[in-house]
């Protein structure tokens, strides 16, 4: 007899099939293999006691504060510990229960359905300006075209082009200036039909700039304001373009002035959910969500978002993470912008592992290699 302890990251359906388990058994056993930790805050104490008993009855558990059984507090924060199968069972059990448990049941059902991506696309960054935080991403006209072609060769799936810096305390740039900066690149892209070689994304929240990019063959609108402008929603829908909705607290000028949240994950989740509903109401069909690393976040906020990225998969949209060479790396390991490639790789590999299917990067080749290796590890056995 040989006994081996397998990693929790083992790809269970594939492993079970290799063991010769029948089709029905694969799904049942895989649902029992993954443990979920579900934070449930501000739950009515009556609901907490019901959920505790129901969880225990099926082999799951609910961590509750001392005094919950005697209703010492009217509302409590709890932690549900359950497998996918147990979540599915609880979702059915709680549908008929009071104290908000019916609403909880719907959330548990969504969580049980979440599947992490097995592939991760690379979005390369091109800046048509002189003030982006990383000088290595700044290009003009023919240099930009050369860099786009190199990124395609290195494995980029998407190229994101912008003409205005969104770094903290960045200077405000007029629409006319933004148009002036990006137009020469757009003309060359259209003339050389680069839109046929790679998906192109415009990093802007100005409708005039976005329309010029879409007319030049761009496919994606990447808006750091999360589509606050209705006109941009209409424009994106009219071109059948993809919308990248990003979360930002404040503006680039103010976002890092003591950012704070009531409940980090829930605050950002609520914002993204509302903006998804908004752009869909205008007819946008393809949506990607960006949690906005570094846009009105502390180091702890950024780390928590990457660590708990799976939470946002319940919105049923692709997730994009852009942590490339950002200052959070310097806060962990003091380093100049030019020295932050290793930290960028670490953050983006973790993001892919936790649910991201797109990473926005300055260094395409290095990320392509690292992600291919990570994919092989995650999908092994």
């Amino acid at each position: 007899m040989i006994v081996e302890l397998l990693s929790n990251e083992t790809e269970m359906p594939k492993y079970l099939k290799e063991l010769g388990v029948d089709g029905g058994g694969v799904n049942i056993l895989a649902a029992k293999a993954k443990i979920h930790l579900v934070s449930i805050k501000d739950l009515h104490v009556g609901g907490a006691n019901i959920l505790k008993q129901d969880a225990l009855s099926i082999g799951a558990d609910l961590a509750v504060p001392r005094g919950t059984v005697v209703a010492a507090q009217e509302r409590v924060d709890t932690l549900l510990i359950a497998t996918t199968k147990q979540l599915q069972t609880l979702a059915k059990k709680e549908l008929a229960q009071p104290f908000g448990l019916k609403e909880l049941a719907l959330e548990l059902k969504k969580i049980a359905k979440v599947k992490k991506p097995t592939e991760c696309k690379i979005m390369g960054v091109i800046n048509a300006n002189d003030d982006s935080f990383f000088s290595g991403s700044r290009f003009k006209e023919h240099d930009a075209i050369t860099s786009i072609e190199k990124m395609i060769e290195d494995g980029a799936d998407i190229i994101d082009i912008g003409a205005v810096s969104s770094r903290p305390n960045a200077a405000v740039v007029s629409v006319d200036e933004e148009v002036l900066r990006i137009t020469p690149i757009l003309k060359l892209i259209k003339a050389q039909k680069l839109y046929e070689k790679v998906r192109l994304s415009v990093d802007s929240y100005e409708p005039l700039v976005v329309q010029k990019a879409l007319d030049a063959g761009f496919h994606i609108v990447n808006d750091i304001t999360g589509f606050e402008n209705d006109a941009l929603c209409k424009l994106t829908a009219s071109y059948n373009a993809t919308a990248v909705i990003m979360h930002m607290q404040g503006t680039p000028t103010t976002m890092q002035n003591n950012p704070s949240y009531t409940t980090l994950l829930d605050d950002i989740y609520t914002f993204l959910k509302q903006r998804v509903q908004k752009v869909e109401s205008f007819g946008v069909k393809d949506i990607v969500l960006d949690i906005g690393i570094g846009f009105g976040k502390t180091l702890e906020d950024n780390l928590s978002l990457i660590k708990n990225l799976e939470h946002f998969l319940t919105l049923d949209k692709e997730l994009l993470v852009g942590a490339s060479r950002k200052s959070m790396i310097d806060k962990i390991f003091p380093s100049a912008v030019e020295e932050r490639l290793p930290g960028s790789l670490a953050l983006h590999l973790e993001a892919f592992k936790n649910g991201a299917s797109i990473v926005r990067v300055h260094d395409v080749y290095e990320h392509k290699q690292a992600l291919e290796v990570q994919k092989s590890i995650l999908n092994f056995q």
Side-chain angles (χ1 to χ4, degrees):
M1 179 173 65
I2 300 173
V3 179
E4 300 174 330
L5 177 62
L6 300 179
S7 166
N8 287 334
E9 301 297 330
T10 298
E11 181 62 33
M12 285 304 298
K14 182 179 178 182
Y15 186 75
L16 292 169
K17 287 176 183 177
E18 289 178 354
L19 287 180
V21 177
D22 66 59
V26 168
N27 294 330
I28 293 171
L29 291 171
K32 293 180 178 180
K34 180 176 179 180
I35 297 293
H36 299 268
L37 302 178
V38 184
S39 173
I40 308 166
K41 297 182 178 179
D42 196 35
L43 178 63
H44 190 284
V45 69
N49 281 313
I50 292 171
L51 185 60
K52 174 80 172 179
Q53 293 306 310
D54 284 345
L56 289 172
S57 73
I58 61 170
D61 208 339
L62 185 74
V64 298
R66 186 182 296 109
T68 298
V69 69
V70 294
Q73 302 176 54
E74 184 178 353
R75 308 195 74 82
V76 293
D77 293 345
T78 67
L79 179 68
L80 177 63
I81 307 166
T83 65
T84 302
K85 179 63 177 176
Q86 289 163 348
L87 284 182
Q88 293 167 342
T89 302
L90 281 174
K92 294 177 182 177
K93 277 178 170 285
E94 308 315 314
L95 276 175
Q97 297 289 8
F99 304 119
L101 291 177
K102 181 177 180 180
E103 292 77 10
L104 174 63
L106 298 177
E107 294 301 316
L108 296 181
K109 188 176 180 180
K110 286 194 291 186
I111 292 170
K113 289 182 177 179
V114 163
K115 290 185 178 180
K116 292 181 184 177
T118 57
E119 300 283 343
C120 188
K121 295 185 282 291
I122 295 174
M123 174 187 275
V125 181
I126 297 287
N127 290 306
N129 58 279
D130 297 321
D131 57 350
S132 61
F133 78 96
F134 178 45
S135 62
S137 66
R138 303 173 196 161
F139 303 97
K140 290 188 177 179
E141 301 179 37
H142 291 283
D143 287 341
I145 300 303
T146 301
S147 296
I148 290 170
E149 291 175 336
K150 180 66 165 61
M151 285 184 174
I152 295 171
E153 181 184 330
D154 286 345
D157 303 284
I158 305 165
I159 306 291
D160 189 45
I161 302 173
V164 175
S165 174
S166 56
R167 62 179 172 79
N169 301 310
V172 176
V173 174
S174 69
V175 179
D176 290 342
E177 175 62 22
E178 187 177 354
V179 170
L180 191 65
R181 292 177 179 182
I182 202 170
T183 297
I185 295 176
L186 297 182
K187 287 181 177 179
L188 288 171
I189 285 172
K190 189 172 184 179
Q192 298 185 27
K193 296 183 179 181
L194 290 179
Y195 50 81
E196 295 180 352
K197 297 181 179 180
V198 69
R199 296 193 77 201
L200 295 166
S201 167
V202 57
D203 181 3
S204 179
Y205 49 83
E206 292 291 350
L208 179 58
V209 176
V210 169
Q211 181 159 7
K212 286 182 176 296
L214 293 173
D215 285 338
F218 280 55
H219 315 83
I220 302 167
V221 180
N222 182 12
D223 178 8
I224 63 170
T225 73
F227 284 78
E228 183 177 0
N229 189 334
D230 291 357
L232 199 61
C233 298
K234 294 176 185 176
L235 185 61
T236 303
S238 68
Y239 279 80
N240 199 29
T242 298
V244 178
I245 301 173
M246 194 192 81
H247 174 273
M248 173 173 58
Q249 187 177 87
T251 67
T253 304
T254 65
M255 63 188 182
Q256 289 307 107
N257 296 342
N258 300 314
S260 64
Y261 297 86
T262 302
T263 306
L264 176 70
L265 297 182
D266 188 59
D267 286 359
I268 295 176
Y269 185 97
T270 300
F271 171 87
L272 293 174
K273 182 179 180 180
Q274 291 172 345
R275 291 302 169 91
V276 165
Q277 292 170 345
K278 176 182 178 178
V279 300
E280 286 182 337
S281 73
F282 282 92
V284 177
K285 295 181 175 61
D286 191 25
I287 299 169
V288 174
L289 302 179
D290 182 350
I291 53 175
I293 293 296
F295 285 81
K297 300 357 181 253
T298 64
L299 171 61
E300 291 73 19
D301 293 336
N302 291 323
L303 293 173
S304 179
L305 287 167
I306 291 174
K307 188 83 171 178
N308 298 293
L309 201 59
E310 188 175 359
H311 173 65
F312 299 95
L313 287 176
T314 58
L315 289 167
D316 198 28
K317 305 295 179 188
E318 280 195 282
L319 301 180
L320 181 155
V321 170
S324 185
R325 297 182 178 269
K326 290 189 174 178
S327 62
M328 67 173 292
I329 299 168
D330 179 55
K331 292 182 175 68
I332 298 169
F333 188 93
S335 50
V337 176
E338 294 76 17
E339 301 169 337
R340 296 177 192 164
L341 173 57
S344 303
L345 291 169
L347 291 170
H348 286 146
L349 290 176
E350 186 67 14
F352 172 39
K353 178 181 174 182
N354 294 336
S357 55
I358 306 173
V359 289
R360 185 177 182 273
V361 312
H362 296 99
D363 310 279
V364 172
Y365 177 82
E366 291 83 354
H367 275 85
K368 181 68 174 178
Q369 183 184 102
L371 286 166
E372 286 299 319
V373 173
Q374 176 80 320
K375 184 172 71 173
S376 294
I377 295 171
L378 294 177
N379 296 337
F380 180 76
Q381 201 153 300

